[in-house]
Amino acid sequence: MARMTDLKRTPLYDLHVSLGARLVPFAGYEMPVQYPAGIMKEHLHTRSAAGLFDVSHMGQIAIRPRSGKLRDAALALETLVPVDVAGLPEGRQRYGLFTDESGGILDDLMIANRGDHLFLVVNAACKEQDLAHLEAGLAATCTVENLPHRALLALQGPTAEAALATLAPDVAGMRFMDVRAVELVGAGCVVSRSGYTGEDGFEISVPAADAARLAQALLAIDGVAPVGLGARDSLRLEAGLCLHGNDIDTTTTPVEASLEWAIQKIRRAGGERAGGFPGADTILKQLCAGAARRRVGLRPETKAPIRAGTPLYAEEEGGEPIGAVTSGGFAPSLEAPVAMGYVPTKQAGVGTRLFAEVRGKRLPVVVTSLPFVTPGYKRR
């Protein structure tokens, strides 16, 4: 385990300390896992009002075409992701995946069209490898610019729009996945209507020097409270969203992970720009014929939480494991345990009864559709 003295700190570190956060090592950073209110209250507050998250540890990257034509950068990025980047309108963003030659998932990311460049947000633990991957693949046609001088905040929850609109009224007109430049507390920010909790809300890229001032301005608004990594994880699990390193990695393909919705028709077999990304042969075949296993939602029939790594069986007794849980825990919104995991496709149907082995005892679980909690995205 990394020593705290070896860890990086985000521009909000002093604010976290002043708010009484419990700080833990996470992806090479000293990050708040919870504040005095506790994970349960932070979780439920985000579902009923607005939670403010520090996600500045994540990577922010700008890709600029050497030709000056954004389409050239988009087509270049399409050689690394199975996503329609060239068709992404200005002011919009899209979920994407870096894949490897076997079809495995190197990382997942957000891709935004900012008019003259593409703006990427990648996972903290992967950002160095992602930068090297982008530079190796795009250097001939694009410049790849790391943006460590920017912080990233997430404001999530049903009152997030009203809260942020007190600082910038125009954000109320943004739709889910819109991206635009917005001035907040005098700072030039890039705001997207997105997040990773399943709630309506915003992610705000802000110059690092202005991050604490913006966070304090948001926390001064009625209904906004700080939320740590603990509640962030339970919120994203309820939303059925993948956590890289748990639910997806190089051993899972997008189809196995039930993420085929992230591969637009134009990149699939028969599409105008089909294939051309790492692992295309495997992924395109799976899109047509299906994969041998699938990520599914699981609802335990008992009250015992089922954690990542728990083996899954088809029968209550005997036999070999057929899969494993990749994320699991208690869902505060449902007052019940939930989990996600991989099982053979023939046993992935909703309603299928399986068994999770916990401390030598097999507990019944039922395959359930995802997400566990209905999203609150503003799609109009």
Side-chain angles (χ1 to χ4, degrees):
M1 180 180 293
R3 296 179 301 173
M4 294 297 266
T5 52
D6 297 332
L7 299 173
K8 299 176 184 176
R9 293 173 174 175
T10 76
L12 297 186
Y13 172 82
D14 290 341
L15 179 61
H16 297 320
V17 172
S18 71
L19 293 171
R22 184 161 75 85
L23 297 159
V24 298
F26 183 82
Y29 283 79
E30 201 171 350
M31 297 296 291
V33 67
Q34 67 177 80
Y35 297 87
I39 293 173
M40 180 76 76
K41 288 185 177 178
E42 291 169 24
H43 179 115
L44 295 174
H45 181 86
T46 305
R47 289 274 182 249
S48 62
L52 182 66
F53 302 75
D54 179 13
V55 286
S56 302
H57 58 308
M58 300 185 76
Q60 300 182 64
I61 301 168
I63 298 175
R64 302 180 188 277
R66 296 187 187 279
S67 67
K69 299 176 182 177
L70 187 70
R71 184 174 173 83
D72 291 344
L75 292 174
L77 185 57
E78 285 190 1
T79 66
L80 301 180
V81 298
V83 176
D84 177 10
V85 185
L88 183 62
E90 183 176 346
R92 297 285 292 166
Q93 74 171 0
R94 179 165 283 162
Y95 178 78
L97 303 156
F98 288 127
T99 51
D100 66 16
E101 293 299 330
S102 299
I105 299 171
L106 293 167
D107 194 11
D108 60 345
L109 68 155
M110 298 303 296
I111 305 165
N113 179 340
R114 297 282 297 123
D116 62 349
H117 69 280
L118 299 171
F119 178 72
L120 275 52
V121 176
V122 302
N123 281 299
C126 301
K127 60 185 178 184
E128 298 302 328
Q129 79 171 34
D130 290 344
L131 275 167
H133 188 55
L134 286 164
E135 287 169 352
L138 309 186
T141 53
C142 304
T143 61
V144 178
E145 182 184 359
N146 187 22
L147 303 174
H149 54 286
R150 297 193 74 85
L152 192 65
L153 307 181
L155 183 66
Q156 300 281 289
T159 67
E161 177 187 290
L164 192 59
T166 64
L167 302 181
D170 289 350
V171 301
M174 295 176 67
R175 299 168 297 153
F176 183 56
M177 292 296 195
D178 275 353
V179 181
R180 66 174 62 164
V182 178
E183 185 173 303
L184 297 168
V185 297
C189 300
V190 177
V191 175
S192 64
R193 192 147 197 166
S194 58
Y196 227 59
T197 63
E199 289 295 330
D200 181 28
F202 302 87
E203 291 185 317
I204 307 165
S205 173
V206 55
D210 299 306
R213 191 161 51 87
L214 175 58
Q216 288 168 328
L218 290 167
L219 290 171
I221 299 169
D222 284 345
V224 179
V227 179
L229 292 173
R232 183 170 180 256
D233 192 52
S234 55
L235 288 159
R236 73 91 196 162
L237 175 58
E238 285 186 348
L241 299 171
C242 292
L243 178 64
H244 187 269
N246 278 42
D247 308 296
I248 51 175
D249 57 27
T250 54
T251 69
T252 53
T253 70
V255 179
E256 291 172 336
S258 302
L259 294 174
E260 54 267 61
W261 56 266
I263 304 174
Q264 289 72 36
K265 186 176 179 181
I266 201 168
R267 303 303 311 277
R268 301 186 182 199
E272 183 180 336
R273 297 194 307 281
F277 51 84
D281 287 349
T282 297
I283 294 169
L284 295 183
K285 286 178 183 174
Q286 289 185 348
L287 283 169
C288 294
R293 62 176 188 150
R294 297 281 287 178
R295 177 176 63 93
V296 296
L298 299 166
R299 289 292 299 265
E301 292 185 352
T302 66
K303 294 184 178 179
I306 295 172
R307 307 294 183 185
T310 301
L312 296 167
Y313 292 82
E315 305 294 340
E316 191 168 7
E317 296 181 356
E320 297 295 320
I322 61 167
V325 170
T326 51
S327 284
F330 184 75
S333 305
L334 304 173
E335 298 183 341
V338 297
M340 297 192 295
Y342 285 83
V343 299
T345 299
K346 64 182 180 182
Q347 285 149 314
V350 171
T352 303
R353 197 168 192 240
L354 303 173
F355 296 87
E357 189 169 273
V358 179
R359 293 187 292 275
K361 185 176 181 180
R362 294 191 188 178
L363 306 177
V365 299
V366 177
V367 175
T368 308
S369 58
L370 293 170
F372 298 107
V373 173
T374 303
Y377 306 138
K378 184 178 176 181
R379 296 186 182 276
R380 64 171 172 78

